[in-house]
Amino acid sequence: QGQIDPQFRSYFVAHKNTGLTPSADFPLGFAGKTFTFGSERSTSGRLMPEAFIRQFSGKAPADFFGSANSFSGGHDLTAKLVEAGTFQTGALNFKTYDSMVAAGELDPAICVKIWTTPPYADYNWTAHPELETLFGAGFTDRLQTALVNMSDADLLRAVDRGEGLIPASNADFESIEQVARELGFLD
């Protein structure tokens, strides 16, 4: 996993015309506004935002927003749809929002970051157990060591973890699994 992944976050954003302002508290003012998640299967664009909506509002997203769930299909598209006013509000991963703002691709005065979620574990790379059979005992440990020791900036950028990689364990993701089960995403 990337060094940032154990402390990943999502941003809840709103179009400036909503009048919503940044807050340290969950934005209950999102209630009744048009809202889009990112991809249906995204941890940072759907799963955790939905979990926080349920936790802090006591309602399912469709009940909180007053309409069926919408999905933009991606973090960058969520940001652009809110910036354009197509949706009044949305949720996306913080890395995408921050990089779009830094690159001048998103105006933070129009697509306003309203709330930052509490941190949660996000991505990891998982080696299938069959690799031990194919490449010999201890392969998974050697692969993890090679990835964690990777320092080439181009390779780290290729896996979108320029900050570097660190070991991951199943325990790091137990809370995500619990949320996914509670929301019916896993059988």
Side-chain angles (χ1 to χ4, degrees):
Q1 65 186 337
Q3 289 181 17
I4 192 67
D5 289 315
Q7 297 294 311
F8 218 75
R9 299 170 308 283
S10 296
Y11 288 160
F12 279 62
V13 297
H15 191 275
K16 69 175 185 170
N17 290 348
T18 63
L20 296 166
T21 58
S23 174
D25 298 321
F26 178 81
L28 290 172
F30 274 43
K33 304 275 191 284
T34 58
F35 179 90
T36 187
F37 290 104
S39 166
E40 284 188 71
R41 301 198 179 272
S42 172
T43 302
S44 56
R46 167 41 175 336
L47 177 70
M48 293 310 295
E50 179 168 339
F52 291 123
I53 291 165
R54 288 174 181 270
Q55 176 185 346
F56 292 111
S57 77
K59 297 179 179 180
D63 295 328
F64 182 67
F65 297 111
S67 62
N69 290 345
S70 294
F71 302 96
S72 71
H75 301 293
D76 55 342
L77 191 52
T78 296
K80 295 307 280 182
L81 288 169
V82 171
E83 182 183 48
T86 307
F87 286 90
Q88 294 171 299
T89 61
L92 68 151
N93 90 45
F94 80 101
K95 285 184 72 166
T96 300
Y97 182 94
D98 289 349
S99 67
M100 290 177 75
V101 168
E105 299 169 354
L106 185 68
D107 186 341
I110 297 174
C111 180
V112 182
K113 176 178 60 172
I114 302 297
W115 183 66
T116 303
T117 66
Y120 54 86
D122 197 34
Y123 296 109
N124 70 79
W125 288 267
T126 304
H128 193 282
E130 185 66 21
L131 293 174
E132 292 286 311
T133 303
L134 293 171
F135 299 108
F139 175 79
T140 303
D141 290 334
R142 292 190 307 274
L143 176 61
Q144 183 181 54
T145 298
L147 290 171
V148 167
N149 291 330
M150 185 168 57
S151 60
D152 182 277
D154 289 336
L155 292 176
L156 290 169
R157 275 193 303 277
V159 295
D160 195 26
R161 292 302 181 266
E163 74 279 359
L165 300 173
I166 60 173
S169 71
N170 289 340
D172 297 336
F173 297 91
E174 287 174 355
S175 62
I176 293 286
E177 180 183 7
Q178 180 182 348
V179 167
R181 288 194 188 287
E182 288 171 3
L183 296 178
F185 291 8
L186 299 175
D187 297 330

